[in-house]
Amino acid sequence: MRIAVIGSGNVGTGLAKSWSKLGHAVVVGSRSPESERLVHLVSGIGNGVSTAALAESVESADVIVLAIPWSAAEVSIAALGDLSGRLIIDATNPFVKGLDLGIGHTDSGGEQVARWAPGAKIVKALNIVDARLLDGKKLDDREITIPIASDDTDAKKVASDLIVELGFDVVDAGSLEMSRLLEPLTLLMIKLSMKKSLGNEIGFRVLRD
Ligand SMILES: NC(=O)c1ccc[n+]([C@@H]2O[C@H](COP(=O)([O-])OP(=O)(O)OC[C@H]3O[C@@H](n4cnc5c(N)ncnc54)[C@H](OP(=O)(O)O)[C@@H]3O)[C@@H](O)[C@H]2O)c1
């Protein structure tokens, strides 16, 4: 599958490494694709990963993943061009002022992304897992659960398959509106990790028979 990962930070790099190792064609969409940092980054990952400017990176992508800070989401999405009909995995969290949710209860980042990218098929996913675990690391010998939310069944299936390939357990959380619950869940995980000193090797898991 051709995957455009938008953003070359913790999440973008982690996903580019893991999916490219699995044989997917990954391009990292960046504001500065020709910078020394980006050239060094993609050559370090290998596996055919390339880098391109934002609009160019999504041209032939089957799946687009948003791995950018919330503060940069609107401008980055605009820079990608017309996204109608495209499958977007939104891994962002609408944090403002450090670790406060800027949207919640009656709206969510996932739904805001859908408004910024009209006609796109948005799947909220991968927002709750620490970037350092994106190689599908198991904890307590179990896969971490990634809840996913979308209004588009087919898009959800494609995203789910890609996330399962990474080594995660996927649970269907329902419609995109469920992002209202998935985004605060991230905050809980971060606060447990940082404020309660549980470290980055913690993950969410839905136990079921
Ligand atoms: N860190 C985690 O463990 C984690 C886990 C799950 C979800 N998330 C979410 O995923 C998103 C990305 O997190 P991250 O930790 O990967 O962030 P990050 O390390 O700060 O990287 C974000 C990337 O976004 C791009 N970008 C575009 N506009 C930007 C701007 N104005 N300022 C800074 N960077 C900009 C940059 O790539 P270019 O310079 O190449 O454009 C940058 O490398 C966030 O919404 C976060 O909440 C994070």
Side-chain angles (χ1 to χ4, degrees):
M1 195 151 278
R2 290 161 302 183
I3 305 172
V5 175
I6 310 304
S8 61
N10 303 305
V11 174
T13 303
L15 290 173
K17 272 187 194 154
S18 295
W19 274 325
S20 65
K21 212 186 281 180
L22 291 163
H24 296 289
V26 181
V27 52
V28 177
S30 169
R31 295 166 299 171
S32 51
E34 279 155 22
S35 66
E36 204 178 313
R37 184 180 80 80
L38 259 290
V39 171
H40 186 68
L41 180 85
V42 295
S43 73
I45 298 173
N47 301 327
V49 173
S50 60
T51 179
L54 294 173
E56 194 191 328
S57 71
V58 300
E59 269 168 12
S60 59
D62 302 304
V63 174
I64 299 164
V65 185
L66 300 180
I68 43 182
W70 183 248
S71 57
E74 183 175 9
V75 67
S76 305
I77 290 167
L80 298 178
D82 180 6
L83 295 171
S84 63
R86 312 296 297 277
L87 197 170
I88 299 178
I89 298 177
D90 172 26
T92 69
N93 288 294
F95 293 148
V96 294
K97 290 185 236 132
L99 281 182
D100 277 336
L101 277 174
I103 303 184
H105 298 295
T106 56
D107 197 3
S108 62
E111 290 162 279
Q112 179 59 70
V113 164
R115 292 191 290 271
W116 284 331
K121 303 164 194 170
I122 313 294
V123 182
K124 186 86 204 181
L126 292 168
N127 62 307
I128 75 159
V129 62
D130 191 294
R132 288 163 288 197
L133 304 175
L134 282 172
D135 55 355
K137 185 176 168 68
K138 286 187 181 174
L139 300 176
D140 195 24
D141 222 18
R142 291 169 173 162
E143 295 98 352
I144 293 168
T145 299
I146 306 290
I148 69 171
S150 178
D151 296 335
D152 190 296
T153 310
D154 294 340
K156 211 189 275 188
K157 170 84 173 90
V158 173
S160 173
D161 288 350
L162 279 174
I163 295 166
V164 166
E165 267 193 80
L166 291 175
F168 294 114
D169 166 55
V170 170
V171 68
D172 182 352
S175 68
L176 189 62
E177 193 180 297
M178 289 295 284
S179 306
R180 297 175 192 183
L181 302 181
L182 301 190
E183 291 160 4
L185 185 56
T186 306
L187 200 49
L188 171 67
M189 298 305 290
I190 294 174
K191 296 223 166 171
L192 289 174
S193 170
M194 292 168 62
K195 308 272 185 210
K196 295 290 175 191
S197 305
L198 294 184
N200 64 294
E201 300 235 327
I202 62 168
F204 172 80
R205 170 86 195 183
V206 177
L207 293 173
R208 53 209 190 276
D209 283 331

